[in-house]
Amino acid sequence: MKFLTGWLIGLLFLGTFSEAGADWFSEVKVGVFIHFLPGSAERFAQVETYDVETLAEQLKTLGVTHFVFTIYQNSGYLNAPNATYDQVTGYAPGERCAKRDLPMDLANALEKRGIRLILYVTGQTPNRDILAQKAFGLEQGPKDQKIDLTFAKRWGEVLQEWSVRYGTKVSGWWVDGCYAWIDFNEEIAEIYRDALKKGNPEALVAFNPGVKRAEWKTSDYTAGEINEPMEVVLEPSVGTSPRTHILTFMGNFWGKPETRYPAEEWSRWISSILKQGGVVTLDVAMNWDPQVAPVGTIAPRHFRQLQKIMKSVSRTDVLSE
């Protein structure tokens, strides 16, 4: 499905989002997103070898302003400890929630380099974990399930544990799977919003409705998921809003290692978005193979292209405005 172009972006992105805590968002420009989603016990073990310092140094070298990292998604393996989740599901510590607090380690490494951390979570349990679905009162099966306020309050407790633990070390949250067809609504968004701001009231929250022409009004910034970035053009009026955010992938799909556009084309597009007051986050491939590079770092092919992109974008002076 196509996303938003031209005047329609300007219409939907202005004047509909919360003002609270939005000040810091005007400081960010270009960020990187990494999907670290272990799908097996073997991959889950790589939480322990994820090299946060080398990744953070890569990001500093590139000159990006923020980094988005997945705590979990569908598989049922979570990249951070959570006692609330373990208690409800009955899993032992370390069985599905990592013993290493990888988001905290990331936050500390990024903080030293002046890079903001945004964490990715979802609006329901991992949809490939039947035990978790049952424990939290959802229908079971390998798909997103319908949710209600009773579930949201329980899931909000899981989210709040992370929020309180990370506090001001986390600048924002990107909540996936907030689809109208699973009965997600503004009331549920408020529950999650309160939970995610418990540890840091200035943290910004975005609720992703999918690749569609809409945003939840409870969001502090646009989730902005798009598939065809070169078709997106911001109107000049959007420059008055620091909350316009666009998220897309560098490869042929999320986390894939191809380079679907030349660096020069990416640079021109990113510069046009930044000049109109928008923020861009690029999803890149992650390296899993320690024989190639440290685990968790940006895959070499994407890192090389990002170096070209960021060098070109910086020459337009939009990064220093």
Side-chain angles (χ1 to χ4, degrees):
M1 181 183 296
K2 303 302 181 188
F3 195 67
L4 302 172
T5 57
W7 66 270
L8 189 56
I9 283 191
L11 176 63
L12 290 182
F13 284 173
L14 281 175
T16 58
F17 299 95
S18 169
E19 296 292 341
D23 289 348
W24 70 259
F25 203 64
S26 63
E27 303 169 3
V28 296
K29 303 293 183 181
V30 182
V32 165
F33 188 122
I34 281 183
H35 282 79
F36 178 50
L37 302 173
S40 65
E42 181 181 14
R43 283 290 175 90
F44 187 47
Q46 290 186 288
V47 170
E48 297 299 323
T49 59
Y50 196 108
D51 191 333
V52 298
E53 290 293 335
T54 301
L55 170 63
E57 196 58 29
Q58 280 186 317
L59 297 171
K60 178 184 176 182
T61 298
L62 291 170
V64 300
T65 55
H66 60 285
F67 177 66
V68 187
F69 180 74
T70 52
I71 296 185
Y72 64 95
Q73 196 182 69
N74 298 325
S75 71
Y77 291 101
L78 288 69
N79 299 323
N82 193 295
T84 303
Y85 187 87
D86 286 340
Q87 183 178 20
V88 174
T89 60
Y91 284 123
E95 186 176 2
R96 287 302 178 102
C97 291
K99 289 185 177 180
R100 179 188 182 186
D101 196 338
L102 183 51
M104 183 65 82
D105 290 346
L106 265 172
N108 289 332
L110 295 173
E111 187 176 42
K112 290 186 294 186
R113 296 166 173 87
I115 300 169
R116 291 187 180 272
L117 175 63
I118 298 173
L119 291 176
Y120 169 110
V121 293
T122 67
Q124 62 176 264
T125 64
N127 63 24
R128 300 283 173 175
D129 191 324
I130 292 176
L131 190 155
Q133 289 173 324
K134 183 177 181 180
F136 279 91
L138 297 181
E139 295 293 326
Q140 292 93 61
K143 62 179 183 180
D144 291 321
Q145 302 292 347
K146 288 186 179 294
I147 62 177
D148 57 22
L149 290 176
T150 299
F151 166 81
K153 290 174 182 176
R154 299 187 77 194
W155 194 242
E157 293 174 357
V158 173
L159 301 179
Q160 182 170 304
E161 179 175 327
W162 284 318
S163 172
V164 170
R165 181 186 306 146
Y166 303 131
T168 58
K169 290 181 178 293
V170 171
S171 294
W173 301 85
W174 200 91
V175 188
D176 204 1
C178 302
Y179 311 133
W181 62 265
I182 66 165
D183 295 337
F184 187 90
N185 55 44
E186 296 290 355
E187 195 170 1
I188 291 174
E190 288 286 355
I191 293 171
Y192 291 167
R193 177 185 169 84
D194 289 345
L196 292 169
K197 287 179 177 282
K198 189 72 173 180
N200 178 14
E202 298 301 305
L204 303 187
V205 182
F207 298 102
N208 183 33
V211 186
K212 60 186 298 183
R213 299 177 179 181
E215 292 283 347
W216 296 105
K217 67 181 182 180
T218 312
S219 295
D220 293 315
Y221 65 101
T222 62
E225 179 183 351
I226 63 170
N227 294 335
E228 303 296 336
M230 300 307 163
E231 297 181 8
V232 175
V233 179
L234 298 190
E235 288 296 303
S237 59
V238 177
T240 63
S241 171
R243 295 154 304 194
T244 303
H245 170 255
I246 298 174
L247 169 66
T248 193
F249 41 90
M250 282 185 62
N252 288 343
F253 200 62
W254 302 103
K256 298 300 182 181
E258 305 83 7
T259 53
R260 58 173 170 159
Y261 302 120
E264 295 76 15
E265 192 170 354
W266 275 118
S267 299
R268 285 194 298 270
W269 176 74
I270 291 171
S271 294
S272 71
I273 299 300
L274 298 184
K275 286 178 179 177
Q276 302 303 337
V279 172
V280 174
T281 303
L282 295 175
D283 171 75
V284 302
M286 189 199 91
N287 179 66
W288 292 85
D289 185 353
Q291 301 302 314
V292 173
V295 172
T297 55
I298 301 170
R301 186 176 181 182
H302 274 186
F303 183 70
R304 289 192 296 269
Q305 189 176 51
L306 276 170
Q307 286 179 306
K308 295 178 181 178
I309 292 169
M310 295 302 294
K311 184 177 181 179
S312 179
V313 170
S314 66
R315 285 200 299 265
T316 68
D317 292 328
V318 291
L319 290 181
S320 60
E321 290 178 357

